[in-house]
Amino acid sequence: MSANTDRYENAVARYFEAWNADGPEALAKAVAAAWSVEGTYTDPLAAVSGHTEIAGLIAGAHEQFPGFAFRPLGAVDGHHDTARFAWELVNESDGSAPVAGFDVITLDGDGRIRSVLGFLDRVPAGI
């Protein structure tokens, strides 16, 4: 496994740690570990920047989907400072996954996320 592959996989692992962090303190710490200070997140439903806004977006997802966790689908693929990966939002009690998509991330020199461009492939009605 190449150092670049490790770099992408480590960044994506920190990304999922942030999205699955439990509680405000753990969430703030995980976002700071995953994103650069000026990092951004953009998908069809949101466009935020900086640790505080990113943490707020994630906290909102937890409120909207209590008892759910974000899980990777398949392998991480990357080149240069960019990686892509698929994910799903899984109900931990019954295993259903009403939301799924894929994200493209750009990394800084330290391997932290500079930007996320998210795409939603499966979304329940009303979201």
Side-chain angles (χ1 to χ4, degrees):
M1 182 177 285
S2 75
N4 277 342
T5 300
D6 288 344
R7 181 174 182 238
Y8 307 135
E9 289 180 358
N10 290 338
V12 171
R14 288 190 307 273
Y15 176 86
F16 281 106
E17 287 171 12
W19 276 97
N20 291 318
D22 188 20
E25 188 174 310
L27 176 55
K29 184 177 178 181
V31 166
W35 271 270
S36 65
V37 173
E38 64 282 340
T40 63
Y41 177 93
T42 306
D43 71 16
L45 305 174
V48 297
S49 62
H51 291 174
T52 301
E53 289 183 10
I54 292 167
L57 175 70
I58 293 171
H62 287 220
E63 290 174 14
Q64 188 173 8
F65 293 96
F68 284 75
F70 286 88
R71 301 284 184 242
L73 284 175
V76 176
D77 182 29
H79 61 82
H80 296 86
D81 290 331
T82 305
R84 66 178 177 167
F85 55 94
W87 53 267
E88 63 184 352
L89 183 61
V90 178
N91 183 321
E92 294 184 300
S93 65
D94 69 11
S96 64
V99 182
F102 77 91
D103 292 347
V104 176
I105 61 174
T106 304
L107 304 178
D108 69 10
D110 295 326
R112 294 191 324 174
I113 299 168
R114 282 188 301 178
S115 68
V116 176
L117 296 175
F119 296 84
L120 302 173
D121 296 325
R122 183 174 60 241
V123 180
I127 291 192

